């Protein structure tokens, strides 16, 4: 291991040679820190992305919301605009009529805070992005900025719009890639939370997944997080009538994450008549990890036998064994007479506890922190050592404050240090993939 003197000498010489991109120790580098977060409007989705009910999408990073039509991408992106602590909101619409004043008011968005513009081409996006960056830098803005591009997949190119320009031949993908290479580091430096929505297309090339994100392979590299949305049981609605249904169950999967949450999944309700339900999905997370279990008729016997019923009668309880924090919550709910003497409650009661008791959501967060603690296994330092067997509790299906607007609370300080980000990609292979894979829009 290099000694401290040699390390300091290396840093000093490197930074004299490269003053515009200094090298730093990671624990003191702003590059390794997320300066702040913007809530998605749903606590469960926040946790799925960031490991915290109270965070969401990161400042200074790119987040991609992908999915099929009607999966709620645009409404979720718009729901982020409700957060009162956002200082500047820019909304660039490529779908035409993606938002209106009435719709903004319906979602609880202050339309005066939203700077709205339509964009048609990737070249147009690049020009407007450069102007935005120039203005932010000139005015030395260090506040929370949310940029929403809805959607990157609908953007055309000047070449495509020119009837005499010939075939595209991968030009759109190359232009999109150029945009992210030019501006990703700038967006991080200026603490811009960039949220892009994207469509999925059928991959009929015969290789890889059946569906890919439309817009070029760069959309697999540039984002720090990709969240893919889909309707649950979209073809089997229980209610069919002329009135239709306003409540849609949405599944969110973490396709990619630089925050240690890849593979996580949550389900939540999206009410197109009322907006995003902030508390929906919390119960499902607790149930998936068996922090909440079905309550038997004889709870005393159930606790004695440590039995988890396969089916629920509609009553649930926090599991009073196995996890000390969960067991303490089970006892507290009884002691404060929030539940019955046996600790039973209904599924919808979780939402009411979140709204009524300021301590409840932080307690749930503390319990969910144990999920990641249990998943971390230290590797042996000696290669000759065999890792010890680690027994962890494995649920059947491992899925993924009381304020004016409880989900908008965010006390994270914003760093103003100049930082940079690197997109790791093999450009030659990427350009080959852009021309080899044939996709058709849904």
């Amino acid at each position: 291991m290099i000694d401290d003197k040699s390390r300091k000498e290396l840093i000093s010489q490197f930074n004299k040679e490269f003053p515009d991109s200094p090298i730093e120790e990671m624990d003191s580098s702003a590059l390794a820190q997320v300066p702040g977060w913007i809530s998605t409007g749903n606590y469960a989705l926040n946790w799925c992305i960031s490991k915290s009910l109270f965070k969401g999408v990161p400042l200074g990073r790119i987040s991609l919301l992908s999915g099929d039509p009607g999966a709620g991408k645009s409404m979720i992106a718009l729901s982020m605009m409700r957060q009162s602590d956002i200082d500047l909101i820019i909304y660039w619409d490529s779908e035409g009529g993606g938002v209106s004043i009435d719709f903004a008011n319906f979602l609880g968005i202050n339309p005066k805070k939203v700077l709205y513009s339509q964009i048609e081409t990737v070249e147009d996006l690049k020009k407007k992005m450069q102007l935005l960056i120039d203005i932010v830098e000139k005015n030395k803005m260090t506040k929370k900025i949310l940029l929403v591009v809805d959607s990157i997949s609908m953007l055309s190119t000047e070449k495509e719009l020119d009837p005499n320009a010939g075939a595209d031949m991968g030009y759109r993908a190359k232009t999109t890639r150029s945009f992210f290479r030019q501006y990703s580091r700038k967006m991080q430096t200026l603490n811009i939370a960039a949220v892009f929505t994207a469509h999925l297309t059928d991959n009929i090339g015969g290789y890889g997944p059946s569906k890919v994100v439309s817009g070029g392979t760069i959309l697999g590299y540039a984002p720090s997080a990709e969240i893919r949305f889909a309707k649950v049981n979209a073809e089997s609605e229980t209610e069919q009538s002329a009135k239709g249904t306003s409540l849609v169950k949405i599944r969110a999967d973490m396709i990619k994450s630089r925050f240690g949450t890849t593979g996580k999944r949550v389900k939540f309700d999206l009410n197109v008549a009322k907006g995003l339900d902030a508390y929906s999905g919390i119960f499902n997370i607790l149930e998936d990890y068996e922090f909440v279990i079905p309550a038997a008729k004889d709870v005393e016997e159930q606790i004695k036998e440590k039995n988890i019923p396969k089916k629920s009668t509609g009553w649930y309880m926090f599991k009073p064994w196995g996890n000390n924090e969960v067991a303490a919550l089970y006892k507290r709910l009884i002691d404060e007479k929030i539940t019955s003497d046996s600790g039973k409650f209904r599924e919808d009661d979780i939402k009411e506890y979140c709204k009524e008791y300021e301590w409840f959501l932080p307690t749930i967060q503390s319990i969910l922190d144990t999920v990641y603690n249990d998943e971390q296994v230290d590797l042996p330092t000696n290669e000759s050592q065999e890792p010890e067997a680690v027994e962890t509790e494995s649920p059947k299906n491992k899925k993924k404050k009381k304020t004016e607007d409880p989900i908008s609370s965010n006390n994270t300080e914003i760093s103003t240090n100049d930082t940079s980000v690197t997109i790791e990609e093999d450009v030659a292979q990427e350009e080959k993939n852009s021309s080899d894979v044939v996709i058709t829009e849904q």
Side-chain angles (χ1 to χ4, degrees):
M1 183 176 178
I2 190 172
D3 58 77
D4 289 342
K5 182 179 179 181
S6 299
R7 181 187 290 105
K8 290 178 181 178
E9 181 65 22
L10 172 63
I11 294 173
S12 176
Q13 292 187 18
F14 189 97
N15 292 345
K16 285 180 182 178
E17 185 69 23
F18 304 101
D20 293 333
S21 56
I23 192 171
E24 303 171 294
E25 293 180 343
M26 180 173 281
D27 63 350
S28 60
S29 172
L31 175 63
Q33 309 296 325
V34 176
W37 304 81
I38 293 177
S39 173
T40 62
N42 176 270
Y43 287 111
L45 184 56
N46 286 349
W47 179 82
C48 185
I49 298 170
S50 63
K51 299 184 182 179
S52 172
L53 298 169
F54 306 105
K55 291 182 179 179
V57 297
L59 287 174
R61 303 294 192 275
I62 297 169
S63 301
L64 183 68
L65 312 183
S66 63
D68 291 324
K73 305 181 297 296
S74 296
M75 182 172 281
I76 291 166
L78 290 167
S79 293
M80 298 178 193
M81 300 179 189
R82 294 185 301 182
Q83 312 314 315
S84 59
D85 58 344
I86 303 176
D87 300 291
L88 178 63
I89 301 171
I90 301 100
Y91 181 79
W92 289 336
D93 174 19
S94 68
E95 298 191 337
V99 69
S100 64
I101 293 178
D102 290 340
F103 192 54
N105 289 328
F106 159 72
L107 291 175
I109 301 168
N110 181 359
K112 291 184 178 180
K113 288 181 63 175
V114 181
L115 303 181
Y116 172 82
S117 176
Q118 291 192 347
I119 52 175
E120 189 172 9
T121 65
V122 181
E123 292 90 345
D124 190 22
L125 174 63
K126 292 173 70 174
K127 292 174 185 176
K128 291 184 176 180
M129 190 71 209
Q130 184 58 58
L131 180 59
L132 170 64
I133 287 172
D134 289 344
I135 293 172
V136 172
E137 287 183 326
K138 181 180 179 181
N139 291 278
K140 298 180 180 180
M141 298 174 62
T142 59
K143 299 181 179 295
K144 270 190 178 180
I145 301 174
L146 173 63
L147 168 67
V148 175
V149 179
D150 187 18
S151 74
I152 189 72
S153 299
M154 281 293 289
L155 290 176
S156 182
T157 64
E158 293 177 356
K159 183 176 181 180
E160 185 179 11
L161 296 177
D162 184 355
N164 301 316
D168 180 85
M169 298 299 289
Y171 177 76
R172 177 186 170 209
K174 292 177 182 178
T175 309
T176 303
R177 184 165 58 248
S178 172
F179 165 78
F180 283 105
R181 279 207 294 251
Q182 281 184 258
Y183 297 112
S184 291
R185 286 185 291 181
K186 280 292 186 181
M187 285 188 278
Q188 184 181 18
T189 301
L190 299 173
N191 291 331
I192 297 174
V195 177
F196 294 79
T197 68
H199 304 162
L200 296 179
T201 61
D202 290 326
N203 180 4
I204 60 176
Y207 299 97
S210 59
K211 289 191 175 184
V212 295
V213 176
S214 174
T217 55
I218 186 63
L219 293 178
Y221 294 97
S224 292
E226 180 189 345
I227 311 98
R228 186 160 297 178
F229 298 94
K231 289 183 180 179
V232 179
N233 297 327
E235 303 301 325
S236 58
E237 293 180 0
T238 56
E239 238 182 273
Q240 294 287 349
S241 70
K243 294 181 180 179
T245 177
S246 62
L247 190 65
V248 180
K249 179 71 75 175
I250 300 294
R251 183 183 70 239
D253 291 282
M254 290 302 302
I255 302 301
K256 173 187 176 181
S257 171
R258 292 176 181 159
F259 312 110
T261 59
T262 300
K264 294 300 180 188
R265 167 183 289 184
V266 294
K267 295 178 182 178
F268 56 91
D269 294 330
L270 182 65
N271 193 322
V272 296
K274 296 181 180 179
L276 195 60
D277 185 339
Y279 304 100
S280 177
I282 296 177
F283 175 87
N284 300 95
I285 296 174
L286 296 171
E287 185 182 33
D288 288 343
Y289 285 97
E290 293 185 350
F291 297 136
V292 166
I293 60 174
K297 185 175 181 180
D298 188 339
V299 171
E300 187 176 342
E301 181 67 19
Q302 179 182 4
I303 295 174
K304 181 180 178 182
E305 298 294 331
K306 295 184 177 179
N307 174 47
I308 301 178
K310 293 183 178 181
K311 293 184 178 181
S312 170
T313 60
W315 291 99
Y316 297 88
M317 66 180 186
F318 282 94
K319 188 169 70 174
W321 68 84
N323 182 303
N324 292 335
E325 292 195 50
V326 180
L329 179 56
Y330 169 81
K331 186 176 184 301
R332 181 174 184 176
L333 292 172
I334 295 174
D335 291 345
E336 296 189 15
K337 300 188 183 303
I338 296 172
T339 64
S340 64
D341 291 340
S342 60
K344 293 182 180 181
F345 58 83
R346 298 286 190 182
E347 178 178 343
D348 287 342
D349 290 339
I350 290 290
K351 293 182 182 181
E352 298 306 313
Y353 300 160
C354 291
K355 296 175 185 177
E356 190 168 348
Y357 304 103
E358 292 184 357
W359 53 266
F360 189 78
L361 270 174
T363 302
I364 295 301
Q365 177 61 55
S366 181
I367 290 172
L368 292 177
D369 286 341
T370 65
V371 170
Y372 292 98
N373 295 336
D374 290 344
E375 290 178 353
Q376 293 178 357
V377 179
D378 292 332
L379 296 178
T381 55
N382 190 328
E383 291 183 2
S384 63
Q385 289 180 307
E386 292 293 331
E388 295 183 4
V390 179
E391 292 184 8
T392 58
E393 189 177 25
S394 177
K396 181 175 65 176
N397 289 314
K398 201 168 188 181
K399 308 171 187 175
K400 303 224 227 253
K401 320 182 165 193
K402 206 166 176 186
T403 58
E404 178 182 286
D405 180 0
I407 203 160
S408 67
S409 177
N410 190 326
N411 297 320
T412 308
E413 289 188 6
I414 301 172
S415 170
T416 60
N417 293 337
D418 187 39
T419 59
S420 61
V421 66
T422 301
I423 301 172
E424 299 177 0
E425 58 175 320
D426 185 334
V427 176
Q429 182 63 37
E430 186 182 322
E431 292 180 354
K432 181 178 182 300
N433 291 343
S434 297
S435 58
D436 286 351
V437 178
V438 180
I439 56 177
T440 59
E441 293 283 355
Q442 282 192 333

